[in-house]
């Protein structure tokens, strides 16, 4: 997970800036600024339209007593695609546009779901629903279960061992 975050937050922006400079050298400054603004506006419009479609499908399915066909993951991918599109950069725009294309999004959602199911089956990821407000907690460990953490719906990162059992008390400390 650390490598993924490094690629996402360090390598990807550096590549995006480099590519924008290259395009700027070919097209000129104002044309490049216009291209970045255009992709941002078109991307925001597409994300809003596709997000509205996904939400409408969810509402229709729930009103008919059925589970939404695209599921929650599709909505999350639309949101991520919208974030990529409003982030200046060519590479992020490509990823953002791809996430707004329904067949690509469904394919990726299927892959992510299979990945998560494998992690749960291996025991390296646990998902539970419940607690106050019916929130979701997930736990994932890439090292060992002793190092595992739970991130609850409030965003608190708690060591699993702190949740497993209360801390032992020293009977002498009551004196």
């Amino acid at each position: 997970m650390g490598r993924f975050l490094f690629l996402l937050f360090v390598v990807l922006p550096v590549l995006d800036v480099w590519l924008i400079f290259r395009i700027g050298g070919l097209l000129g400054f104002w044309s490049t600024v216009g291209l970045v603004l255009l992709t941002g506006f078109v991307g925001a419009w597409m994300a809003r339209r596709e997000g509205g479609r996904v939400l409408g499908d969810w509402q229709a399915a729930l009103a008919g007593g059925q589970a939404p066909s695209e599921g929650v993951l599709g909505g999350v991918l639309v949101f991520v695609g919208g974030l990529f599109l409003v982030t200046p950069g060519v590479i992020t725009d490509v990823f953002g546009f791809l996430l707004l294309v329904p067949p690509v999004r469904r394919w990726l959602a299927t892959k992510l779901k299979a990945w998560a199911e494998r992690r749960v089956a291996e025991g390296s990821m646990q998902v539970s629903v419940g607690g106050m407000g019916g929130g979701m907690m997930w736990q994932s460990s890439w090292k060992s279960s002793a190092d595992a953490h739970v991130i609850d719906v409030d965003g608190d990162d708690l060591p699993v061992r702190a949740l497993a059992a209360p801390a032992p008390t020293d009977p002498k400390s009551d004196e």
Side-chain angles (χ1 to χ4, degrees):
M1 186 64 158
R3 281 189 218 129
F4 174 74
L5 292 176
F6 177 76
L7 289 172
L8 183 65
F9 291 113
V10 177
V11 175
L12 182 62
V14 168
L15 287 175
D16 253 341
V17 168
W18 175 81
L19 195 53
I20 285 177
F21 277 116
R22 296 290 300 202
I23 291 171
L26 294 172
L27 299 179
F29 176 77
W30 290 111
S31 296
T32 304
V33 169
L35 181 66
V36 168
L37 290 175
L38 178 67
T39 58
F41 286 124
V42 169
W45 174 77
M46 284 182 67
R48 183 176 177 185
R49 187 190 66 164
E50 193 60 24
R53 187 193 64 74
V54 168
L55 182 61
D57 289 350
W58 286 357
Q59 290 172 338
L62 292 174
Q66 300 173 344
S69 62
E70 198 159 345
V72 174
L73 192 52
V76 170
L77 291 175
V78 167
F79 179 73
V80 170
L83 287 177
F84 276 146
L85 285 167
V86 297
T87 303
V90 177
I91 299 169
T92 54
D93 285 348
V94 168
F95 285 133
F97 281 120
L98 286 173
L99 289 175
L100 295 182
V101 175
V104 174
R105 187 173 58 247
R106 282 191 289 272
W107 175 83
L108 183 59
T110 302
K111 295 296 182 189
L112 287 172
K113 183 179 176 187
W115 173 82
E117 287 172 346
R118 273 194 314 276
R119 302 281 303 197
V120 169
E122 293 168 356
S124 59
M125 179 185 287
Q126 296 175 359
V127 179
S128 62
V129 178
M132 292 180 56
M136 178 181 283
M137 296 190 328
W138 63 271
Q139 163 189 333
S140 184
S141 171
W142 282 269
K143 296 177 184 169
S144 70
S145 60
D147 296 326
H149 288 254
V150 170
I151 303 199
D152 70 6
V153 293
D154 297 323
D156 299 323
D157 185 8
L158 308 169
V160 171
R161 61 182 156 269
L163 296 173
T169 57
D170 185 5
K172 294 179 184 176
S173 66
D174 291 293
E175 298 173 1

